[in-house]
Amino acid sequence: MHEKTLAELSQALQSKALSSVELTQHYLKRIEQLDGSLNSYITVTAESALEQAKAADARIAAGNASALTGIPLAHKDLFCTQGQRTSCGSKMLDNFISPYESTVTQRFLDAGSVSLGKTNLDEFAMGSSTESSFYGPTRNPWDTDRVPGGSSGGSASAVAARLCAAATGTDTGGSIRQPASFSGIVGLKPTYGRCSRWGIVAFASSLDQAGPLTRSVADAAHMLGAMAGHDPKDSTSAPIPVPDFAAGLDAGVKGLKVGIPKEYTLDGMPPEIEALWTQGMDWLKDQGCECVEVSLPHTKYALPTYYIIAPAEASSNLARYDGVRYGNRIDNSNGVIDMYRQSRANGFGAEVKRRIILGTYVLSSGYSDQFYLRAQKARTLIQREYQQAFQSVDAIVGPVSPAPARMIGQNADDPLQDYLADIYTICANLAGVCGIRVPCGSVNYEGSNLRGGLQLMGPHLGEPALLRAARAWEVIRDAE
Ligand code: GLN
């Protein structure tokens, strides 16, 4: 039953071929059997999951169910969930029980879905491998010596290993699309403002966006339909109605104009990834798409721009963890300043400290004009460039990452290598547009059979057409 997609499970539940309690028990058992070696969950909430499943069965029996009623999901442990530990993968919040529910997870509860638990992530979502978690690394189900990607690596691994029907993640610079790519599943980063950020622990507020990690494009459409929508508690959420993303998915891509950015061809890109990209373009052409070259010349500034803006916002957002009201606190008799200092020094891991120091530096007086302000200007140029490109094309196609999943521990002494590998994902966040990792099979890389990644990007609020294109892609891939 775990081989079924969310859409298929939903059908089985509605037709009463299966109950949500049975399904939930099945996933809980799989988690118990398999997650010891993967470490994709930080917290499993078996008791409340079974209660939710019972309520879902009653709702289905009463005939007022939605597509997500009774479906067992997992949520990245960056979403606040009331009465449950919300750790953000950090020792700082290891003892934090959230007093409220995030808007996105509340919407899933309202839809009657079941939450199996909270998934592992890089500490405060900073990273690309899920290795910086206080709870230890998550492993890639296709090759357990390799990373599942990150920061939403727990969600990606759980979906790929069939330890939940679908999961939520967040994407600040690629944290949905990149782990989806490394783990061989679908990952959608919606347009900035499509989903409410309320109750998602902030990393970089102008870039963060919630989205789904799923087994299929149709599943991503169903999940997005439940997550999206205006929220008065988040002033950056778009005050527009939510379209039916799942409708018309099979309309095809005939006549769609797809852009291929000429600046995306990097020196040192493994030939396997380049071959995948070329094959992807051929698939689209075969389906009746017109592929044209587009130019995004400021792509070369995207990495420094992101790695100034994201740490700057993070350093400000993480100032709240001072040991006073909640979280890790190291008491001592040297006064309050020393209490702050020791609580933070003890509560945050190395990557988070690196970002805070970097962020504080680029914002400090004397340097902010040189770094932060210039990065904001570069961001505006990147935004304009994407807007302009989307005036002549409907979608842009490119890789997700310059290489497939690397070995666990490989970049432990060289964090810059991971930063550099974010080049293809961060532009969508800087520009605020939507992007989806589409399935494209496996590549033989370093002697291992690994998942490869391509993404389609669409204009602001262009998810309906983007999902249609991704679905067409999935049909071709299935036929391969
Ligand atoms: N890898 C990027 C970073 O480390 C993106 C993280 C994210 O999207 N949360 O900042």
Side-chain angles (χ1 to χ4, degrees):
M1 96 179 65
H2 53 266
E3 286 303 334
K4 288 188 164 50
T5 62
L6 186 156
E8 289 163 348
L9 288 173
S10 181
Q11 235 166 24
L13 288 170
Q14 315 281 338
S15 68
K16 316 229 177 41
L18 187 67
S19 76
S20 176
V21 169
E22 281 168 333
L23 188 60
T24 303
Q25 279 168 339
H26 179 74
Y27 278 117
L28 288 171
K29 200 149 132 217
R30 281 183 67 77
I31 295 170
E32 210 178 289
Q33 286 168 344
L34 301 168
D35 204 41
S37 59
L38 294 176
N39 196 29
S40 56
Y41 282 84
I42 293 176
T43 308
V44 178
T45 49
E47 214 175 294
S48 62
L50 286 167
E51 274 167 32
Q52 289 164 355
K54 254 187 238 162
D57 284 332
R59 188 163 157 180
I60 292 168
N64 61 350
S66 78
L68 282 154
T69 308
I71 301 288
L73 305 175
H75 298 300
K76 184 178 186 177
D77 205 12
L78 199 67
F79 289 87
C80 284
T81 48
Q82 193 170 15
Q84 294 172 349
R85 175 168 65 175
T86 298
S87 74
C88 303
S90 180
K91 183 178 182 189
M92 182 58 90
L93 293 179
D94 183 45
N95 62 2
F96 175 62
I97 306 294
S98 174
Y100 57 87
E101 189 79 26
S102 80
T103 297
V104 162
T105 48
Q106 184 61 51
R107 286 189 173 158
F108 282 116
L109 291 175
D110 294 345
S113 70
V114 171
S115 171
L116 295 166
K118 309 290 291 287
T119 56
N120 204 5
L121 67 157
D122 281 299
E123 188 178 1
F124 285 101
M126 297 173 193
S128 322
S129 65
T130 319
E131 290 172 295
S132 72
S133 169
F134 172 61
Y135 303 92
T138 295
R139 290 173 182 274
N140 189 317
W142 300 99
D143 178 347
T144 51
D145 290 331
R146 291 181 186 266
V147 300
S151 64
S152 313
S155 288
S157 169
V159 172
R162 318 322 192 210
L163 304 184
C164 58
T168 55
T170 60
D171 193 313
T172 303
S175 279
I176 290 175
R177 289 160 290 155
Q178 186 258 24
S181 169
F182 285 11
S183 305
I185 56 169
V186 173
L188 169 67
K189 182 203 98 70
T191 304
Y192 184 79
R194 182 63 98 174
C195 300
S196 167
R197 288 181 297 109
W198 196 79
I200 300 174
V201 176
F203 163 11
S205 312
S206 77
L207 300 158
D208 298 343
Q209 183 59 204
L213 293 107
T214 59
R215 299 259 316 282
S216 73
V217 173
D219 289 3
H222 286 299
M223 290 282 285
L224 183 63
M227 300 168 77
H230 179 241
D231 176 9
K233 287 189 253 174
D234 173 5
S235 60
T236 64
S237 78
I240 48 160
V242 180
D244 182 355
F245 298 108
L249 269 187
D250 284 305
V253 286
K254 224 184 183 80
L256 202 79
K257 215 164 158 190
V258 178
I260 299 145
K262 67 171 186 222
E263 292 79 7
Y264 275 25
T265 314
L266 295 181
D267 287 346
M269 185 195 284
E272 295 87 347
I273 298 290
E274 214 169 328
L276 208 66
W277 193 18
T278 314
Q279 184 186 54
M281 293 186 257
D282 288 344
W283 281 348
L284 288 172
K285 282 183 208 154
D286 286 351
Q287 290 292 298
C289 278
E290 187 190 345
C291 290
V292 295
E293 191 176 82
V294 290
S295 180
L296 300 165
H298 289 94
T299 302
K300 59 175 180 283
Y301 301 116
L303 273 171
T305 301
Y306 174 84
Y307 276 98
I308 288 171
I309 292 176
E313 293 186 19
S315 75
S316 164
N317 275 326
L318 271 63
R320 71 190 71 176
Y321 305 108
D322 55 10
V324 174
R325 287 149 300 173
Y326 53 86
N328 188 55
R329 176 183 183 125
I330 305 291
D331 270 319
N332 66 74
S333 51
N334 296 334
V336 70
I337 299 293
D338 209 50
M339 189 279 285
Y340 293 158
R341 203 178 279 144
Q342 289 198 33
S343 300
R344 287 169 69 84
N346 175 272
F348 290 136
E351 185 57 35
V352 170
K353 285 178 185 161
R354 201 175 290 130
R355 307 271 179 130
I356 292 174
I357 291 168
L358 196 63
T360 316
Y361 179 78
V362 299
L363 287 176
S364 58
S365 82
Y367 291 106
S368 63
D369 283 6
Q370 193 183 343
F371 294 112
Y372 184 67
L373 230 58
R374 282 172 81 183
Q376 291 292 14
K377 287 178 185 166
R379 180 179 186 174
T380 303
L381 292 175
I382 292 168
Q383 270 166 352
R384 281 195 200 141
E385 208 163 87
Y386 272 78
Q387 259 163 23
Q388 210 171 358
F390 282 123
Q391 272 168 13
S392 59
V393 295
D394 305 297
I396 290 174
V397 63
V400 172
S401 177
R406 63 165 173 79
M407 302 298 277
I408 289 177
Q410 188 179 313
N411 290 347
D413 299 326
D414 192 359
L416 201 61
Q417 289 310 318
D418 276 359
Y419 296 0
L420 293 173
D422 289 336
I423 178 67
Y424 294 122
T425 47
I426 50 180
C427 290
N429 301 79
L430 289 168
V433 299
C434 51
I436 186 166
R437 186 271 172 183
V438 285
C440 49
S442 60
V443 284
N444 203 299
Y445 187 74
E446 293 176 349
S448 266
N449 194 24
L450 300 174
R451 306 298 114 173
L454 289 177
Q455 69 171 327
L456 289 167
M457 285 179 276
H460 287 125
L461 303 172
E463 284 88 348
L466 188 76
L467 284 159
R468 255 197 322 274
R471 172 66 192 144
W473 187 292
E474 186 178 53
V475 171
I476 319 164
R477 193 276 322 235
D478 284 348
E480 281 291 296

